[in-house]
Amino acid sequence: RIPGKEPSIQNKGDPNHFRLDDDIILATSSMVPDFIHIKRNQYDTVRPIYHKEDLDLETTCQCENYCGSNCQNRNLRIECCSKLCSVGPLCGNRRFTKSQYKSCVPFPAPGKGWGLKTMEDIEYGDFVIEYVGEVLDLETSQDRLDDEKSDRHFYQMELEQDRIVDAKTKGNLSRFVNHSCDPNCRVEKWCINGVMRLGFFAKQSIAAGTELTYDYKFYTNDKALVCRCGADNCRGTLRSVAQKTKKAKEVEQERRAQKDKVIQSAKNGKLTNRMLKEILRDTQEDVERESEKRQKLEKQALHRLAHTNSTVPGDLTRPVALGPTINHKELIRSQRIFLWRNAEKGSFLLERLQLKQRRNT
């Protein structure tokens, strides 16, 4: 309704505030956000990366009656191929291809937008649903993130090197799975017919009606990514600070171990060509780091000089002229050059000395 008078800003309960009817609010809040439903990842701007080595491994499937938990391909997160699997139609390792998803439904999640909950009981390790969307390269992915800075909902997930799955406009119900610091699902990368795909798998037994969640593990410095999962062990942010620190420490420890190994081999006179290449690479990296550090210090020095006060202390009206360079001095001596403006600048010296004497007295 239209207010009869100007509503009070301080009092949000003022009846003169404009308010939609309850039935309209209920109808609009229960509407699932629009998106284009797709069954498989779409490669519109990039081509899929084929992993031929995984296709060769598929021939190792030696299952007799059913490809279950003991299937070698399944343990390697490789889905059996219909032409190479020895079981045939009874193969149980084609869950991505057959879209064997659990029954799920989106629902309004207070404080988080929308979520996804299961309508059936799920056992530990079960395949829940595949995460599908548009497959992008890193450059296109970053461009989209820059264009959507105001949107606090993220739908991008890393598929593999230089490949990102974006389910913002095209995807399936998996796009509604929210973050939790104590998740009941995990994301796994599987190879299907030589192409990598993403899927949600249960980390524990999940009862019907429970919201499906996984840990986003964002590697970002954005402190605005506040977590609202409500878990007992909630870390308060979507950032994966602990994992990032742990990974950096592991990388540093591994590098030190490799260095110690190379040094010991050099002492024993058992240096290989590969070790020599590693030494050259590490040396080159150290030289580049030192060069970058030196350039950074030089820029900082120039920056400080540019912001240094160019006036005499206490005298804010007369700038101190920078003296001539060494080359200019040599040119002045050899050519006996004298300019009248230099005489004017030199006259300021007497005034500065007089000002200093007055202050001392």
Side-chain angles (χ1 to χ4, degrees):
R1 60 186 176 81
I2 300 176
K5 63 178 182 178
E6 192 69 22
S8 173
I9 299 177
Q10 288 79 13
N11 183 14
K12 295 184 179 180
D14 190 337
N16 291 293
H17 278 291
F18 175 76
R19 187 177 186 278
L20 293 173
D21 292 335
D22 292 339
D23 56 347
I24 297 178
I25 296 175
L26 180 61
T28 54
S29 63
S30 60
M31 293 175 60
V32 179
D34 292 334
F35 69 96
I36 300 174
H37 190 278
I38 57 177
K39 295 182 178 180
R40 297 287 181 268
N41 287 330
Q42 287 193 357
Y43 290 83
D44 295 333
T45 59
V46 295
R47 294 182 179 181
I49 301 175
Y50 288 97
H51 299 266
K52 296 181 180 180
E53 65 277 8
D54 291 335
L55 286 174
D56 296 335
L57 286 173
E58 287 179 339
T59 58
T60 60
C61 176
Q62 302 296 328
C63 302
E64 297 180 358
N65 299 321
Y66 180 77
C67 291
S69 58
N70 294 327
C71 177
Q72 184 170 349
N73 285 344
R74 189 168 183 171
N75 293 328
L76 293 173
R77 296 183 181 178
I78 301 172
E79 196 169 90
C80 291
C81 177
S82 58
K83 296 181 180 180
L84 301 177
C85 181
S86 59
V87 176
L90 296 177
C91 177
N93 188 29
R94 298 178 192 170
R95 294 169 291 181
F96 282 83
T97 303
K98 295 182 179 180
S99 300
Q100 295 175 345
Y101 305 157
K102 299 298 181 182
S103 178
C104 305
V105 61
F107 71 99
K112 297 182 287 187
W114 284 78
L116 189 70
K117 62 182 178 181
T118 175
M119 302 302 293
E120 60 178 295
D121 294 337
I122 302 176
E123 299 296 329
Y124 167 79
D126 283 355
F127 175 53
V128 180
I129 191 172
E130 181 184 0
Y131 192 83
V132 300
E134 299 177 89
V135 182
L136 315 172
D137 57 16
L138 293 178
E139 183 178 357
T140 308
S141 168
Q142 188 60 48
D143 291 341
R144 289 195 180 185
L145 290 176
D146 293 339
D147 295 338
E148 302 164 1
K149 284 184 177 179
S150 58
D151 191 354
R152 304 308 299 174
H153 297 283
F154 297 91
Y155 300 92
Q156 294 191 10
M157 187 183 300
E158 183 182 11
L159 178 62
E160 54 184 322
Q161 185 178 5
D162 196 30
R163 292 294 183 269
I164 306 294
V165 177
D166 185 7
K168 181 176 179 61
T169 57
K170 297 180 181 180
N172 60 8
L173 294 180
S174 64
R175 68 193 296 277
F176 295 112
V177 179
N178 282 320
H179 162 84
S180 176
C181 297
D182 186 18
N184 51 24
C185 294
R186 65 176 180 271
V187 179
E188 295 182 1
K189 298 179 182 181
W190 280 63
C191 184
I192 291 86
N193 293 324
V195 179
M196 300 301 295
R197 288 158 72 169
L198 299 168
F200 288 101
F201 290 80
K203 288 184 63 177
Q204 61 195 43
S205 297
I206 307 173
T210 305
E211 181 181 5
L212 300 173
T213 58
Y214 80 103
D215 193 342
Y216 284 4
K217 295 182 180 179
F218 279 155
Y219 288 100
T220 176
N221 293 323
D222 190 353
K223 296 182 180 180
L225 298 176
V226 180
C227 179
R228 298 183 176 88
C229 69
D232 294 337
N233 62 337
C234 179
R235 56 181 179 263
T237 178
L238 303 184
R239 297 182 297 166
S240 181
V241 180
Q243 287 82 352
K244 186 175 182 180
T245 305
K246 183 178 179 181
K247 184 177 180 180
K249 288 182 179 178
E250 290 176 351
V251 171
E252 183 63 25
Q253 290 176 357
E254 183 180 355
R255 184 181 177 186
R256 288 181 179 177
Q258 290 178 350
K259 267 191 172 180
D260 293 340
K261 183 179 179 180
V262 171
I263 293 173
Q264 189 62 34
S265 299
K267 290 180 179 179
N268 298 333
K270 297 180 180 179
L271 274 178
T272 62
N273 292 334
R274 182 177 178 181
M275 291 180 178
L276 288 173
K277 289 181 180 179
E278 290 178 354
I279 293 174
L280 292 174
R281 183 192 62 193
D282 293 341
T283 304
Q284 182 66 26
E285 290 177 354
D286 293 339
V287 170
E288 291 175 355
R289 280 195 295 268
E290 289 297 327
S291 178
E292 291 175 358
K293 184 178 180 181
R294 184 171 60 255
Q295 292 177 2
K296 185 177 180 180
L297 292 175
E298 291 175 355
K299 288 182 179 180
Q300 290 177 352
L302 292 175
H303 182 76
R304 288 195 301 271
L305 289 175
H307 289 78
T308 302
N309 192 1
S310 59
T311 58
V312 180
D315 184 7
L316 303 179
T317 59
R318 302 187 183 281
V320 178
L322 295 177
T325 63
I326 297 176
N327 294 335
H328 289 167
K329 289 181 178 179
E330 293 296 331
L331 183 64
I332 291 171
R333 292 192 186 98
S334 60
Q335 301 297 329
R336 300 178 179 272
I337 298 174
F338 181 81
L339 300 177
W340 179 251
R341 65 170 178 265
N342 292 339
E344 291 181 338
K345 292 179 181 179
S347 65
F348 297 157
L349 177 61
L350 180 61
E351 297 178 9
R352 293 199 298 271
L353 290 174
Q354 293 174 353
L355 176 63
K356 185 178 180 181
Q357 290 175 357
R358 288 197 298 270
R359 284 179 180 172
N360 293 334
T361 58

